Each structure stands twice: as structure tokens, then as C-alpha cells.
Amino acid sequence: MASVAGGQTFYKGWGCCLCLVMLVIYVTKKAMKMLGHMDKLLVAAAAAADAGEVPVAAAITNMDGQIIALAENRMKRDGNALHHAEMLAIQAAMAATGQSRLVEHNLWVTLEPCTMCAGAIAHARISRLYFGAYDEKAGAVESGVRFFDSPSCNHRPEIYGGIGARESAAMLQDFFAARR
């Protein structure tokens, strides 16, 4: 039950305060894991750049936070436009789990996914999507077409954007600046 006094809301009982404290602890632990995974992805993205690929890497984690698949862009090396890091990570995770759906799995990626990858995320039923840099030009999650907001989208993961965005964006900017 809430009461308002002087523009402030006060809650009776400890239930709400306890929820807030538990939420802060949960988010803090989650954030610590997030940064740890993004560090690993940035190393893989740098390896992709060293191979002449756009520096993007992706990983699939299980609900315990363990990485079960890690991939980097391989479009140039494989001569295949479909070999985005997200697509390769999803495919590797499906092979590792023997499942066609990755319910209770999370996708981490250094760059906001494009429309193709967003479609694969929906079809694979990924639970959560964590991404680094926003992609104003080709991103399809929180930029551009906003694929998961479409009425024709059959699954929407929880979305956490901007994790390690500065580092991811800097790597991409350096990569493209060197090619201009």
C-alpha cells in the first residue's frame, strides 16, 4: 500500500524495500558477468579484424553463464555473406546442445544485430540478447527496423544494449578508418 506526502511516495511494510535491494544485488551480479563476457568477445572481435573481417564476435551462454559457443565474423574468409558472428554462434550452440531451439540460452554480441541475425535469434528462441555498440545504419534491434517490435515477429528476447559499447564502437571505427 502506498501513500503520498509532499510529492514523495512511501510504502508500508518491508516487502518493496526488500525487492529493491534484491533487484540491485541481482543487477550488480548480472552486470559483473556481462562485462566479463564482453571482454572475451572483444578479444575474438580483434582476431576477426586481424583476419580482415569486420570486428564482430558473438557467444551463446547457458543459464549458468557458461559460454557454450563463441564465434567471430567469417564472411570474407568463408566467402559466405551469411557467416555473421551471431549466425555462427547460434549454429554452433545448436550443434553443441543437439537442440533446434536455444530456450534458456543467451546471446552476447559486440554489435547490435542486423535484420538477418535478429530473425535467427527469434527463430532460435534465444532468451536474452546482450549487445555492445549500437548500429544506427544496419542494426535491427533498437535501431532501424526494430525487428522484435514487428507484429510478425514470433519471439522477443529480453534485450540489454550498450554493454561495452564504447570499446566495441572504437574497434569498429578504427577498423573502418584504416580502410578509408
Side-chain angles (χ1 to χ4, degrees), residues 5-70:
Q8 295 181 336
T9 304
F10 299 92
Y11 293 92
K12 294 182 181 178
W14 289 95
C16 293
C17 293
L18 183 57
C19 290
L20 290 174
V21 170
M22 290 178 72
L23 177 63
V24 170
I25 292 169
Y26 175 73
V27 170
T28 302
K29 286 182 180 178
K30 187 184 259 187
M32 288 171 50
K33 285 184 182 180
M34 286 181 195
L35 294 174
H37 290 313
M38 199 54 74
D39 289 345
K40 293 172 189 163
L41 291 178
L42 290 169
V43 170
D50 290 344
E53 300 280 356
V54 174
V56 177
I60 300 286
T61 62
N62 61 22
M63 292 308 266
D64 293 328
Q66 298 170 320
I67 293 176
I68 63 167
L70 177 65

Side-chain angles (χ1 to χ4, degrees), residues 86-163:
E86 301 95 309
M87 301 294 282
L88 295 172
I90 290 169
Q91 186 176 17
M94 288 177 172
T97 63
Q99 301 292 316
S100 63
R101 301 280 194 246
L102 296 171
V103 177
E104 298 189 9
H105 288 81
N106 305 318
L107 173 65
W108 296 77
V109 61
T110 56
L111 180 64
E112 179 181 2
C114 68
T115 307
M116 174 182 70
C117 294
I121 292 163
H123 285 287
R125 306 294 195 273
I126 302 285
S127 294
R128 290 179 196 88
L129 167 62
Y130 302 95
F131 70 87
Y134 289 87
D135 187 350
E136 297 298 322
K137 183 177 178 184
V141 177
E142 294 185 354
S143 305
V145 300
R146 300 179 69 93
F147 179 81
F148 298 116
D149 292 339
S150 169
S152 61
C153 181
N154 59 359
H155 172 76
R156 179 184 169 83
E158 291 178 32
I159 299 167
Y160 302 90
I163 301 162

